[in-house]
Amino acid sequence: MESRLTVSGHPIQPMLVPLPFGLFVSAVLLDVGAIAAGPALRLFGDVAYWTIIAGLSGAGLTALAGLVDLWDRPIRGPRRTLLAFTLATTGMAALFVLVCLARAGNPQHAGTGALLLVELAALVVGVVGLRLGTRLLRQLDTDGAPEATRAPEATRAPLRTARGGRLVYKSGREFVR
């Protein structure tokens, strides 16, 4: 995948995606602990609230990096996947924003069972977004790569092993990994 923001030739945006998602999962686990323990572990609810805020900050940085990567880049085939990915990740972030707004008025930032259900729904939407992002990354990676470096696809002639253990196409052209 071609990217404007890179670290050692690797795009930054796919590296940033796991950070907010991991923070959101951690916040949900902390809320489960806070609700299960009751008033004994009120601190878990407060930590979960601030973890959600950190996750939202990371999601904003991730979205910004994605927008920079896609600003001038023409997208040929995966437009629908890109749109679905954007909607899913935005939906997940919007649900967590609603949870934060609902908890902001409480001094302990405690979660409730209903808010926990909203958080779980946001995680489900986020998992759908992660799967779409993976598909999008694969589509963008194979669309822009030179033919000699692409992975073999079902539409191409199958690979066979040449002498010396090298992989080559039936046409005789060597497959470069």
Side-chain angles (χ1 to χ4, degrees):
M1 177 177 154
E2 294 178 25
S3 178
R4 291 176 182 251
L5 300 174
T6 61
V7 173
S8 298
H10 300 286
I12 290 176
Q13 198 262 348
M15 291 184 222
L16 292 176
V17 169
L19 176 69
F21 192 76
L23 288 169
F24 292 146
V25 169
S26 299
V28 170
L29 293 175
L30 286 166
D31 274 341
V32 167
I35 290 171
L41 291 175
R42 288 187 306 188
L43 178 66
F44 276 16
D46 198 31
V47 172
Y49 174 77
W50 291 106
T51 303
I52 291 172
I53 290 178
L56 289 171
S57 301
L61 289 174
T62 303
L64 184 63
L67 287 174
V68 168
D69 283 347
L70 295 174
W71 183 259
D72 285 334
R73 188 169 195 276
I75 298 180
R76 293 177 216 105
R79 287 185 191 274
R80 293 169 82 181
T81 307
L82 177 63
L83 180 62
F85 168 73
T86 304
L87 288 174
T89 54
T90 304
M92 177 184 67
L95 287 172
F96 276 108
V97 166
L98 290 175
V99 168
C100 275
L101 291 175
R103 293 170 78 162
N106 187 349
Q108 267 77 35
H109 305 295
T112 62
L115 290 177
L116 182 63
L117 289 176
V118 173
E119 290 175 7
L120 290 172
L123 285 182
V124 169
V125 172
V127 167
V128 170
L130 286 176
R131 295 197 39 97
L132 288 168
T134 303
R135 181 188 308 168
L136 181 66
L137 191 59
R138 286 183 185 146
Q139 287 174 348
L140 291 175
D141 197 28
T142 57
D143 285 349
E147 188 176 326
T149 60
R150 281 191 220 156
E153 298 173 7
T155 57
R156 293 209 186 121
L159 293 175
R160 62 181 168 88
T161 304
R163 292 183 191 160
R166 292 179 302 136
L167 295 175
V168 294
Y169 291 104
K170 281 190 176 180
S171 64
R173 210 166 132 182
E174 187 174 351
F175 173 72
V176 181
R177 291 182 195 205

